[in-house]
Structure formats: C-alpha cells, structure tokens
Amino acid sequence: MKKIFLALLVSAVLFSCKNDSKNDTSSTETTTENVDGKTAKQNDGLTLVVGEFVYYADAAVIQTKNTVYGVVIDKKMHELNDMAQQYKKEATDYVTVEVRGKIIPKPQNEEGWDYRVEIKEILKVSASKADENNVIKLGTK
C-alpha cells in the first residue's frame, strides 16, 4: 500500500512540473522592458510630478500632496503656462498638471523651495477642481 501511494505521489509531482510550451509566451513576445523590469521611460532618470501649477510674476510652482517644487523657468515651463491659460479665470489660478522632469536640489546660497523641477515632458493639463482652489480675494467689486 505504501509503495502504491509513493508511486502515485512521485508521478503526480513529475507531471505537475511539466513545462507547457504552448503557454510560455514570455520568450517569444517582444517587450520594452529592460533586465531590471523598468521601461525605457522609467530608466531615463525623470520623475513624474502630479500637482497644482501656477506661474505668476516670474515665479513658477508645482504643489503636490506632499511637497512644493519650484519650477525652472525655461522654454518648457512657458509651454506649460501657455497650455494652462485656457483653464485659468485669473492669473493667480492653479491648474492641475502631470509632468515628467528632473528634480534638482536648490543651491544653498539661493532662496526658495528646497527642490526644483526642470520640466522635460508635459503629460496632462486640466482645470483644478473649484472647491480646491481656495483663494481669499481682497478688494472691491
């Protein structure tokens, strides 16, 4: 009885470990992933930044849920600001953006936010939600 049970166990283990070549498509498919599992976009050293963007009076900022980044003022930042204009009612309004860029620490001898983002790619620009755009306005109507 023990020999029959052992023979069934061994045969079950051998048959369950059989490689099925019909289901193994990983070697025949071409992917854009590298050896470390990252795509080409993930290997370029850029960071995805999603947050609220505003550019006013020669200062640009992206505020995320956790931090605030100063934005390097260059051609790409001006392109982002031009795209954002259609969603703004006033010059000080924020717009929601998704950009990919290079995070750079602030030089020690300068004022401003601890980190800057140099925008390399603009993914998405949309209007901010009205309830999140809490601005106190002073003045007369």
Side-chain angles (χ1 to χ4, degrees):
M1 179 79 165
K2 288 183 182 180
K3 289 183 182 182
I4 294 173
F5 179 70
L6 184 62
L8 287 174
L9 181 64
V10 169
S11 63
V13 169
L14 289 176
F15 287 118
S16 66
C17 293
K18 178 182 169 188
N19 287 334
D20 190 5
S21 62
K22 290 184 264 183
N23 292 338
D24 187 18
T25 58
S26 62
S27 62
T28 59
E29 291 181 12
T30 57
T31 62
T32 58
E33 290 187 7
N34 293 332
V35 176
D36 60 359
K38 293 184 177 181
T39 63
K41 272 194 169 183
Q42 292 171 326
N43 265 348
D44 61 5
L46 301 180
T47 303
L48 175 67
V49 179
V50 179
E52 301 290 319
F53 168 77
V54 66
Y55 174 62
Y56 186 74
D58 296 328
V61 174
I62 295 179
Q63 179 178 349
T64 65
K65 290 181 181 180
N66 300 326
T67 189
V68 178
Y69 296 102
V71 179
V72 175
I73 298 175
D74 59 3
K75 182 179 174 183
K76 207 64 169 170
M77 190 282 314
H78 286 292
E79 181 182 335
L80 176 63
N81 188 50
D82 292 341
M83 293 171 71
Q85 290 302 320
Q86 63 182 333
Y87 301 108
K88 291 183 174 186
K89 295 177 185 170
E90 295 186 27
T92 56
D93 288 346
Y94 282 85
V95 294
T96 303
V97 297
E98 285 184 30
V99 296
R100 294 182 73 240
K102 186 175 181 182
I103 305 297
I104 306 166
K106 171 188 70 91
Q108 290 185 6
N109 59 350
E110 290 185 17
E111 291 183 17
W113 305 106
D114 292 338
Y115 293 97
R116 298 178 180 169
V117 61
E118 182 179 359
I119 299 171
K120 298 294 184 180
E121 184 179 358
I122 301 168
L123 301 176
K124 183 178 177 183
V125 179
S126 61
S128 292
K129 296 177 183 171
D131 59 338
E132 291 180 5
N133 205 2
N134 297 329
V135 177
I136 299 173
K137 298 178 183 175
L138 301 174
T140 60
K141 289 187 175 185

